[in-house]
Amino acid sequence: MSDDTEPGQEPARLRRGDPVREPPAPIAERREVTCTLRDGTRLRTVLLVPHGTGPWPALLTRHPYDATRDEHDGMLDVGRLVAAGYLVALQDVRGRFGSEGVFDPCAQEVADGADTVAWLAALPECTGAVGMWGASYASDTQFSALLGGAPALRAIAPAMTPAMSALDGFRFRGGVPEIGSTLAWTHYAIAPDLIARIDSAREREAERKRWEATERAIATRKAFRAGALRAAPDAEAIVVWGLDRLREPLGSAHHRAGKIVDRIDAIDVPVFLVGGWFDVFLGSTLEVYRRLLHRAKDTGGPMPHLLVGPWSHDDMSGRIADVDFGPGASADDLGGSGDLTAQHARWFDATLRAGTADTPPVRVFLMGSNRWIELDEFPPRDTRTLELYLGARGVLAAEPAGSGERRLTSDPASPVPTCGGAVLLFAPFEAGPADQAAIEARQDVVSWRTVPLAGELTVMGAVRAVVHLATTGTDADVVVRLCDEHPDGSSLVITDGVQRGSARSVDPITGRGDRRSIEPDQEQEFVVDLWSTAHTFLPGHRVRVDVAPSSSPRWDIGCNVFQTAGSVEAPTVAEYTIRHGAAHPSRLILQVATTAPR
């Protein structure tokens, strides 16, 4: 882009006979500087300065994964952001890589984020207006800065965000600890740099050996066997920290640190949310969207924008779990509407420069049909509820049939393995629409399916399951998967969820409510939240629902025994009886489109 090209415009085509010139680098100057926080801690910050004379609006990302990587291998092309006329700041959070201090995940980011925004806004190169972007932890830091009071922060673009609550896909799901993703994050993403920062060679070597012990425990699956959370692992400090969080009550104040569950009122700036249908934080991303949308309708505040693709937490290619959704599914294409960097540049042009907001309020990828659709809101207002009832001989139908039951054995020593879904795990456990055929062949997995569909059925919104179940234990976990069974017999998971029986009265977002044991052999109603999806079941395909007692290593393996604080109960085998029929209406509840999506 030439120096005299306006931001956001393409350069003029070369005239015949003009000399061919290499375009200048989009970044005029790279500075590695220090941001000093209120307590004197210094954070490494890379500033990327545009050509020309400022000041410019600033775009900031903060995370614990080495901010210098964003210069060449980040979610967005920062060179293009600079070329569009933005002062770009990349920062290591406290206690990570080039920054001083001790890393205290989530909790530290409220004050640190507010301090960083104020520092950046005050730089002579900045107009005083700041936007933030980033995925995962870098989305948490955006909301945290707003919670800390950051008036210069005018717009945010959080992707794959766990910021809503620690209880719905971050540390827990349906009251079940997310042990797999906790181990994956603390051990692989966080521990190596923390170990490298230890000054004492002797203690550094001791911590490295503890890291190796965790690695062996993951490889042998000892780290996530039934009852693992009751043991004291020989693990590095950050892994112990993560497992300690999973041992805390669902209502613990630690689960609110840096989260917006009680502070949605503090999010008073335009928000552009990016999510993935197979992202471990999809539930949180959509719950943030729903609450901001509700508030905007009530108060007239800024309407949130939403973009959701067929992506996992760390793969936005549109090719996932051996399913290729087509070239337009990639974040580098987005169906020809400009890639993810272009989407962000337009968003910040509109919110920081009062430009034209030419992006639709909602854009989601409709799987099955494999195309992008634009909506005023998600789910669209004209959806209807479809209930499909579990019936005899494994039939899933629109009307409840005669009463019946199916049984399975929940054996904590032989859990159902995780296979695809919205996971964030370690090899070989891959996210995405994996084929469940081998899992469905197990004796402890029971399935129901519709007849082959005569026409298209588009699910567009929330998915829930109601399961009437009796168990011989005093607690039970119910895992439910919605699958698309293809004519060739493959069964691809679309979305799933879990509910622990003792946590049925606990709010899945706030953690409020009491855990209670289950009365053995008494029928209980389990309501399982499978979050949401946008998926078309094609003619000849079947809607399939699987019910299982576990999914490991994704979720903590239940012991089938109610555990009170401080108790250590041995895991036990339990028999589950799933009842169905008019008197026991076990069913799948779908939001479906009433008209063909545009």
Side-chain angles (χ1 to χ4, degrees):
M1 184 175 291
S2 61
D3 286 337
D4 57 355
T5 300
E6 292 295 321
Q9 292 184 345
E10 294 295 326
R13 293 184 179 274
L14 290 172
R15 295 183 296 274
R16 188 183 301 274
D18 283 352
V20 176
R21 295 178 298 167
E22 288 294 324
I27 298 166
E29 184 179 1
R30 178 193 186 275
R31 303 178 199 158
E32 196 163 305
V33 300
T34 295
C35 168
T36 303
L37 305 176
R38 67 186 73 178
D39 65 357
T41 301
R42 296 178 297 180
L43 306 186
R44 179 180 69 171
T45 309
V46 174
L47 289 180
L48 305 176
V49 185
H51 285 276
T53 58
W56 303 274
L59 298 181
L60 166 69
T61 191
R62 310 181 63 249
H63 59 70
Y65 308 120
D66 186 0
T68 63
R69 292 173 57 186
D70 284 280
E71 295 182 71
H72 307 290
D73 190 29
M75 186 180 79
L76 303 183
D77 183 339
V78 295
R80 286 168 56 198
L81 296 178
V82 176
Y86 289 97
L87 173 68
V88 171
L90 316 172
Q91 187 179 82
D92 294 326
V93 299
R94 178 189 296 257
R96 297 293 291 170
F97 291 92
S99 291
E100 296 177 345
V102 176
F103 183 54
D104 183 9
C106 299
Q108 68 184 33
E109 308 306 348
V110 174
D112 291 2
D115 286 359
T116 297
V117 170
W119 166 83
L120 183 59
L123 293 178
E125 296 87 355
C126 182
T127 62
V130 177
M132 291 184 71
W133 92 92
S136 194
Y137 197 103
S139 73
D140 251 15
T141 58
Q142 300 174 52
F143 289 104
S144 291
L146 288 170
L147 294 181
L153 184 53
R154 310 290 173 77
I156 61 175
M160 318 292 189
T161 183
M164 186 69 227
S165 167
L167 304 179
D168 193 29
F170 180 55
R171 292 185 188 139
F172 296 87
R173 178 90 182 269
V176 182
E178 290 269 2
I179 192 168
S181 57
T182 296
L183 285 168
W185 185 69
T186 55
H187 176 66
Y188 290 109
I190 301 301
D193 178 62
L194 294 187
I195 294 171
R197 296 169 70 92
I198 298 173
D199 290 332
S200 164
R202 182 176 61 82
E203 179 52 34
R204 186 168 59 251
E205 178 62 16
E207 189 74 340
R208 187 187 64 79
K209 289 181 177 178
R210 287 188 282 268
W211 189 94
E212 292 173 348
T214 301
E215 184 76 353
R216 289 192 296 272
I218 290 174
T220 61
R221 306 200 178 187
K222 179 182 177 181
F224 37 86
R225 73 185 191 283
L229 282 176
R230 299 285 167 173
D234 180 22
E236 63 271 39
I238 189 63
V239 169
V240 173
W241 175 92
L243 297 178
D244 282 347
R245 299 289 84 77
L246 300 185
R247 298 182 183 105
E248 294 191 17
L250 296 173
S252 168
H254 278 114
H255 301 322
R256 286 181 158 76
K259 303 300 178 184
I260 63 172
V261 57
D262 300 318
R263 293 291 312 280
I264 198 73
D265 59 298
I267 314 306
D268 57 355
V269 302
V271 179
F272 174 31
L273 290 153
V274 177
W277 293 128
F278 299 102
D279 173 43
V280 68
F281 302 141
L282 173 66
S284 177
T285 300
L286 293 180
E287 186 65 21
V288 172
Y289 169 77
R290 282 190 289 267
R291 297 196 181 198
L292 291 176
L293 178 66
H294 179 75
R295 195 190 63 181
K297 289 180 176 180
D298 282 352
T299 67
M303 296 289 286
H305 282 223
L306 178 68
L307 174 72
V308 187
W311 307 321
S312 70
H313 194 70
D314 54 7
D315 188 342
M316 303 175 82
S317 69
R319 297 180 300 276
I320 182 172
D322 297 324
V323 175
D324 189 342
F325 288 101
S330 167
D332 291 333
D333 187 293
L334 297 176
S337 68
D339 66 6
L340 200 59
T341 299
Q343 296 279 335
H344 279 70
R346 289 201 292 267
W347 170 253
F348 287 121
D349 283 348
T351 54
L352 300 184
R353 288 184 165 132
T356 301
D358 61 349
T359 55
V362 174
R363 200 158 187 263
V364 300
F365 191 84
L366 181 59
M367 299 180 291
S369 297
N370 292 352
R371 58 191 174 89
W372 291 96
I373 59 173
E374 296 180 358
L375 303 167
D376 292 330
E377 61 184 67
F378 183 84
R381 287 185 287 268
D382 62 348
T383 59
R384 65 180 178 89
T385 298
L386 173 64
E387 296 188 329
L388 296 175
Y389 291 85
L390 282 55
R393 297 179 298 279
V395 173
L396 190 63
E399 297 293 336
S403 295
E405 62 184 37
R406 295 180 70 180
R407 297 184 179 183
L408 62 84
T409 300
S410 170
D411 183 356
S414 180
V416 179
T418 300
C419 182
V423 301
L424 176 60
L425 295 173
F426 27 78
F429 302 101
E430 183 183 10
D435 187 0
Q436 303 297 301
I439 302 298
E440 291 165 347
R442 290 175 56 106
Q443 296 299 307
D444 51 0
V445 178
V446 290
S447 303
W448 287 260
R449 59 185 188 155
T450 63
V451 299
L453 298 176
E456 291 186 353
L457 176 67
T458 296
V459 181
M460 187 77 71
V463 180
R464 290 183 297 137
V466 178
V467 179
H468 288 255
L469 178 143
T471 175
T472 57
T474 56
D475 207 348
D477 291 348
V478 174
V479 175
V480 180
R481 281 188 299 274
L482 170 65
C483 299
D484 183 340
E485 183 179 319
H486 290 224
D488 65 4
S490 60
S491 179
L492 306 187
V493 59
I494 304 304
T495 187
D496 58 8
V498 65
Q499 181 62 53
R500 180 159 287 177
S502 58
R504 286 175 304 138
S505 298
V506 178
D507 186 287
I509 304 298
T510 67
R512 296 186 178 94
D514 297 326
R515 294 177 61 248
R516 303 188 186 93
S517 66
I518 288 179
E519 187 71 25
D521 301 315
Q522 298 296 311
E523 182 177 314
Q524 314 286 334
E525 185 178 83
F526 286 69
V527 179
V528 184
D529 183 1
L530 282 69
W531 288 344
S532 295
T533 192
H535 181 85
T536 296
F537 291 85
L538 298 175
H541 291 223
R542 300 174 189 253
V543 180
R544 184 173 183 132
V545 60
D546 300 337
V547 179
S550 52
S551 179
S552 180
R554 181 180 186 180
W555 290 311
D556 173 52
I557 301 168
C559 293
N560 293 317
V561 180
F562 178 65
Q563 304 277 1
T564 58
S567 68
V568 181
E569 304 287 348
T572 186
V573 174
E575 300 298 322
Y576 287 11
T577 301
I578 300 169
R579 296 182 176 136
H580 52 78
H584 316 278
S586 295
R587 61 201 185 276
L588 182 69
I589 305 172
L590 307 171
Q591 273 184 283
V592 299
T594 56
T595 58
R598 298 190 303 273

